[in-house]
Amino acid sequence: MLPENIDTGASILENDNTQINLVRWMHQCELMKRYYQAEVAFVVQQTDLGFEVIVSSINDSRKYLAGTVYPADLSLFNRLSNNQPDGTNIDFSGQNIPLPDDFASARNILSRPLHWPDGTVFGCLCVLNTQGDESININAFMLEPFQILLQQDLALLCQSQRIESLSMRDRETGMLNHYGFIMMAPRQLNLGRRFGAHAGILLFELTPTPPALSVIEHKHTRLLGNIIQDTIRTADIAAHYNQSQFVVLIFIDSERDLNHIVMRVKKSLKQQNGLLQLDSGSAFFAPESSAKLAPMLALAKSQLRSQQAHTQDDPNSINFNHGLS
């Protein structure tokens, strides 16, 4: 299976993937173009928007440029992407195949499919307007090294994303991530209970204020992360839980301190960016409590406006009460 943070329908041009060396891909396209004396060689990815050109060799036609998207229902690219691993050579003159305008002068296309590590279709490698001699089927094997190179890079990308998802640190804020919080917080909570400490869970959620601010950006989450880290103490555990949420396991003197900390964070955020709204939820652990972390986190989450709206839409949702202690 692919890592959860790999979206096969999103173009790899949308993200800065250091594991994908697009310059090397372009050089390989140029080599294939020269070897086959072709018009152009390019790599196509099957995305949610259609078939997108990722890289191509240099050509004077201003066609097949990176970012060019062909319709998802284009039978040619569907056929090429779902072909056998050894690919195909299609002579356009002998077949009635619907072609985009860019292919109007093309004679034939030589192609091999490309796959993600789990076998999901990535797209295809294409060499357009190759020489139509009898040796072309033998020479098609020259595409295999490039095919292997591309698929190895895709495998490296997936492996890197899998390792990153297992990492305990959030690259964006430098704080613990969801996995790090799950690993660290229960141990810290048990340690605090041993010494009779009061503890609480705080859950913060950033929300935009349309139309002035319609989306939450990376700089906004970094800002809130810095404010939270400046507010809590060394013994507390804070994490960037998901894109818009932060969670804190905090040790306090009494339950009312939870509200004081929330107000302090909200005041600081408002002073630094008045366009951001901050919602919050909380749960309290008494020293003698045996409550587990997960249900208390769920209790704090149930107090968020976004979660309450979701609960109202879903009559089967579970309502958490404040009886946990």
Side-chain angles (χ1 to χ4, degrees), residues 75-266:
S75 60
L76 174 64
F77 284 136
N78 272 298
R79 175 178 172 182
L80 298 178
S81 299
N82 291 279
N83 217 316
Q84 295 299 314
D86 54 356
T88 187
N89 176 35
I90 301 176
D91 185 353
F92 295 140
S93 63
Q95 301 188 43
N96 184 21
I97 301 175
L99 298 174
D101 294 339
D102 289 352
F103 289 62
S105 61
R107 293 170 54 186
N108 61 345
I109 189 168
L110 183 66
S111 176
R112 281 197 172 218
L114 300 169
H115 296 93
W116 291 96
D118 69 340
T120 303
V121 171
F122 173 83
C124 54
L125 165 62
C126 302
V127 179
L128 195 62
N129 197 30
T130 56
Q131 299 299 311
D133 56 38
E134 295 181 355
S135 65
I136 190 62
N137 289 325
I138 298 176
N139 291 338
F141 286 110
M142 287 300 296
L143 286 178
E144 184 177 19
F146 189 16
Q147 178 190 35
I148 292 173
L149 170 67
L150 297 179
Q151 293 183 157
Q152 285 177 339
D153 280 358
L154 294 176
L156 182 62
L157 171 63
C158 290
Q159 184 66 20
S160 175
Q161 293 295 321
R162 189 173 287 110
I163 292 172
E164 183 176 318
S165 67
L166 293 176
S167 170
M168 294 175 61
R169 287 287 167 185
D170 171 52
R171 184 171 57 181
E172 186 179 313
T173 62
M175 302 171 68
L176 292 175
N177 58 16
H178 176 278
Y179 178 73
F181 185 79
I182 292 173
M183 293 295 293
M184 299 290 291
R187 182 173 57 184
Q188 194 75 351
L189 177 61
N190 290 335
L191 183 63
R193 280 172 170 164
R194 226 180 280 170
F195 290 96
H198 297 72
I201 287 286
L202 293 175
L203 193 62
F204 295 101
E205 183 171 48
L206 275 175
T207 57
T209 54
L213 183 65
S214 57
V215 294
I216 298 298
E217 301 176 7
H218 293 323
K219 63 181 180 181
H220 300 142
T221 53
R222 285 195 297 269
L223 173 60
L224 178 56
N226 289 336
I227 291 173
I228 291 173
Q229 290 181 95
D230 290 342
T231 303
I232 65 175
R233 294 171 295 186
T234 306
D236 303 327
I237 301 288
H240 188 192
Y241 203 66
N242 62 29
Q243 184 176 4
S244 60
Q245 294 180 354
F246 289 80
V247 63
V248 184
L249 171 65
I250 194 161
F251 294 96
I252 48 182
D253 295 326
S254 64
E255 186 173 0
R256 63 184 179 184
D257 290 340
L258 291 174
N259 188 55
H260 295 160
I261 295 168
V262 169
M263 297 305 297
R264 196 184 314 160
V265 172
K266 288 184 175 181

